[in-house]
Amino acid sequence: MDLTTVTEVVRRPSGRPGADWRAGDAWLAGGTWLFSVEQPELRRLIDLTALPWEPLVPGDTGLGIGATCTIQELYTAALPDEWSAGSLFPRSCEAFLSSFKVWSAATVGGNICMSLPAGPMITLTVALEARYELWAADGSVRTVDALDFVTGDHQNILAPGEILRRIDIPAHALRKRTAHRRFSLTRLGRSTVFLIGTQTPGTSDLLLTVTAGTTRPVRMRFDALPDARTLRQSIEAVPAGVWFDDPNGTPGHRRHLTLHFAEEIRRELMAGGPA
């Protein structure tokens, strides 16, 4: 879609692009959402793809993902064998409501900052205990838990001019065993629910992340694998207003699916199923 109100595109922004932020600006990365609907309030686009942000930076402490890393780059990432949770990367990319052609443009950071309940990059990074590095317009930097970034449907903690620079996934989370479940109304449709369970090797703990069915990510931590009743009670304790309601599923339907799939994940990890 043509954005007829935009009068300027900054192709080569400064290394700290937020310093020049003004009302009517928008960050441009993949643009897959930005150009899909009218944006009458916009006057200027700031192209982040010109910045030298490495897409993927593996290291001893974990994996750094640049906000402009494309979905295609994440999907094809060659990760160390000991990072067993890396199997979640392609599964999360495949949860996009888009064709593989869009993957070459859409970015990890863009999906997170859209902050939609069904954002699969949100699911992935929250489940793997990531932290986000945020750059403010005044030059300050803050780091937040991925769990705390999205606050509701299409809502997050970003201030005007603030930008998501980097996602850091710790090595200990990448070494975990995993189990996941996803449901959509159609094979390539938007997620109605997307759950990921992770477990530290050699322990019986459980970290369960619930997304898509809720307006914000919900994460439940158990020091030992809970029994079915305890797990069910934890899910039932999620406030009614947190369950999402749209054409892909009612809150009651999403809650039912979450209870069902969470128990499947619990049993799979208890039985030592596939990582």
Side-chain angles (χ1 to χ4, degrees), residues 16-27 42 44 46 137 159-162:
R16 288 282 182 169
D20 300 324
W21 180 269
R22 63 190 187 217
D25 283 356
W27 304 119
L42 295 189
R44 187 172 69 155
I46 302 174
E162 195 169 29

Side-chain angles (χ1 to χ4, degrees), residues 96 111-112 115-124 194 211-212:
F96 267 87
N111 186 251
I112 291 171
S115 301
L116 298 175
M121 297 297 99
I122 299 168
T123 311
L124 174 69
F194 193 175
T211 62

Side-chain angles (χ1 to χ4, degrees), residues 184-261:
S184 61
L185 295 179
T186 60
R187 182 174 178 271
L188 299 177
R190 177 168 289 175
S191 301
T192 299
V193 295
F194 193 175
L195 285 73
I196 294 176
T198 66
Q199 187 177 66
T200 306
T203 77
S204 63
D205 66 359
L206 171 64
L207 189 67
L208 179 68
T209 299
V210 177
T211 62
T214 51
T215 57
R216 56 172 173 78
V218 174
R219 198 166 62 191
M220 305 172 193
R221 188 183 298 273
F222 303 90
D223 292 334
L225 205 61
D227 58 26
R229 180 180 180 185
T230 300
L231 180 60
R232 182 180 186 88
Q233 288 174 338
S234 297
I235 295 170
E236 290 176 339
V238 175
V242 173
W243 295 104
F244 191 42
D245 186 8
D246 80 345
N248 294 290
T250 64
H253 179 53
R254 287 179 148 109
R255 179 175 168 275
H256 169 77
L257 290 172
T258 299
L259 289 165
H260 175 76
F261 288 135

Side-chain angles (χ1 to χ4, degrees), residues 92-114:
S92 298
C93 293
E94 290 165 358
F96 267 87
L97 179 59
S98 64
S99 73
F100 68 91
K101 293 181 288 185
V102 175
W103 291 4
S104 63
T107 62
V108 174
N111 186 251
I112 291 171
C113 290
M114 275 295 296

Side-chain angles (χ1 to χ4, degrees), residues 39-78:
Q39 311 282 355
E41 74 284 359
L42 295 189
R43 300 295 178 269
R44 187 172 69 155
L45 302 179
I46 302 174
D47 187 358
L48 300 177
T49 61
L51 296 173
W53 293 354
E54 286 291 330
L56 298 163
V57 184
D60 293 340
T61 59
L63 178 67
I65 304 174
T68 52
C69 174
T70 67
I71 304 307
Q72 182 66 36
E73 289 171 321
L74 189 70
Y75 185 78
T76 58

